[in-house]
Amino acid sequence: LELLLGPEDTMVNIPPRHAKSTVVAVYCAWRICRDRNIHIIWGSKTEQAAKKWGREVGNRFLGRGGKLAKAFGEFRPEVAGEDVWMPLSGRFRVIGPESEDTVSEYTLQIRGLGQQILGSECDVLILDDPTDKETADSEVGSEREMETIRGDFFSRLMPGGKVFVVGQRVAEPDVFTRLLTDEDPEVPQNWVHINMPAVIDEEKQVVLWPESKWTYAELRKVRGRVGRRQWFAMYQQQPELSEDEIFNMDDVLRARDQERKLGEGMPIER
């Protein structure tokens, strides 16, 4: 939470089934409790996931008569008119903000990457599991994905806004690699990147979430089921290169000559 309140954009890579979306939902509810004027856009890979988590935040955390409502006052209007309280559609606007927002400026809006974003601005932008292996393995799909993220999502941030990207690695490269490396050379990076592998210490059998069902023994079973490549990508956040890949894509991206114009050849020493 300290990182998420800081000035840097934050990226966290974490294994599947380790409550990352639940933590994001709690974080959204927490930020709304602290400031009813906040505008959050939460981007998810699919429309179905957007509806699920919209319902989770709107009804479970901020619904009328709940624990948070009793502690901080009601968030949901008594009469939830159209385009005001629609968590099942992934969007709602709480009552009591100081500013006179238009209906289109939602407190929280959760959208699939292919869905239209309603309104124009946000203070917090969250990308939750924004990619999959099929997209990462496709050059065209990866480029389209990056255009959507940068053009449709990042462009919504207001001055002082914050980006929070969370998800599991799926390939090398994937959207996480590209966000960290595909930067304007004249502008310093603004990312704090945290890797959270499922198994922290193999020799000592230390796991990320020992209080949960994901014990070392269970995770060993998972590794046997999904195979080495998927294990290191999705669970250890260390995707391996395919056998036919000679160069590490991360090194290739960092080695590009950003100053060389398109079509201009490299100088040849004689």
Side-chain angles (χ1 to χ4, degrees):
L1 290 178
E2 290 179 358
L3 284 174
L4 294 179
L5 288 175
E8 297 88 3
D9 296 332
T10 303
M11 179 183 296
V12 179
N13 291 128
I14 189 170
R17 310 297 177 265
H18 276 63
K20 56 181 174 292
S21 295
T22 301
V23 171
V24 172
V26 173
Y27 169 72
C28 289
W30 178 68
R31 289 299 301 267
I32 294 169
C33 287
R34 289 168 57 94
D35 181 9
R36 293 178 183 238
N37 294 298
I38 197 168
H39 298 294
I40 303 173
I41 293 179
W42 175 350
S44 187
K45 182 62 180 176
T46 65
E47 181 179 353
Q48 182 179 4
K51 291 181 178 179
K52 172 185 176 181
W53 293 108
R55 179 174 63 250
E56 186 80 0
V57 179
N59 290 341
R60 177 180 174 184
F61 293 112
L62 303 178
R64 292 190 65 80
K67 292 182 179 179
L68 290 181
K70 292 177 180 178
F72 296 95
E74 293 291 353
F75 294 92
R76 177 179 176 174
E78 292 186 19
V79 180
E82 187 177 358
D83 286 336
V84 174
W85 192 269
M86 302 180 68
L88 295 180
S89 296
R91 60 187 187 270
F92 60 81
R93 181 160 58 100
V94 302
I95 59 175
E98 296 176 1
S99 60
E100 292 295 330
D101 292 329
T102 62
V103 172
S104 62
E105 299 298 342
Y106 295 101
T107 304
L108 175 65
Q109 183 177 176
I110 310 179
R111 315 302 284 172
L113 290 190
Q115 287 185 280
Q116 178 186 5
I117 301 176
L118 307 174
S120 59
E121 62 188 43
C122 66
D123 306 296
V124 177
L125 175 65
I126 300 168
L127 293 179
D128 176 23
D129 267 342
T131 192
D132 54 36
K133 193 174 188 310
E134 181 180 358
T135 303
D137 288 341
S138 167
E139 183 176 353
V140 174
S142 295
E143 290 298 327
R144 185 182 298 116
E145 181 178 67
M146 287 299 297
E147 288 178 4
T148 298
I149 289 173
R150 291 194 182 280
D152 294 347
F153 283 86
F154 285 2
S155 62
R156 308 283 176 168
L157 276 170
M158 292 293 289
K162 172 82 177 184
V163 177
F164 176 33
V165 181
V166 59
Q168 64 197 27
R169 297 294 307 276
V170 295
E172 181 61 61
D174 55 17
V175 68
F176 303 103
T177 306
R178 295 178 185 277
L179 286 174
L180 290 172
T181 58
D182 189 17
E183 297 284 345
D184 187 333
E186 298 181 2
V187 180
Q189 290 193 10
N190 192 43
W191 288 104
V192 173
H193 182 210
I194 303 172
N195 262 330
M196 304 181 74
V199 178
I200 298 173
D201 190 317
E202 190 77 40
E203 183 177 348
K204 296 180 180 179
Q205 300 185 7
V206 178
V207 299
L208 176 61
W209 195 6
E211 300 86 2
S212 72
K213 59 186 176 182
W214 296 116
T215 62
Y216 180 79
E218 285 297 325
L219 288 169
R220 291 290 292 179
K221 294 179 184 178
V222 171
R223 177 171 178 173
R225 293 180 187 126
V226 303
R228 177 185 175 88
R229 286 181 61 82
Q230 296 299 325
W231 166 258
F232 276 98
M234 298 169 61
Y235 287 85
Q236 293 300 93
Q237 316 312 314
Q238 299 172 4
E240 297 179 329
L241 296 172
S242 302
E243 294 181 358
D244 58 349
E245 290 179 299
I246 301 175
F247 299 102
N248 183 300
M249 181 56 70
D250 186 42
D251 294 336
V252 172
L253 292 172
R254 291 183 184 277
R256 289 185 304 179
D257 183 355
Q258 303 282 356
E259 302 299 324
R260 184 163 60 90
K261 296 179 180 179
L262 183 64
E264 182 182 287
M266 297 293 291
I268 300 176
E269 296 184 4
R270 298 183 182 276

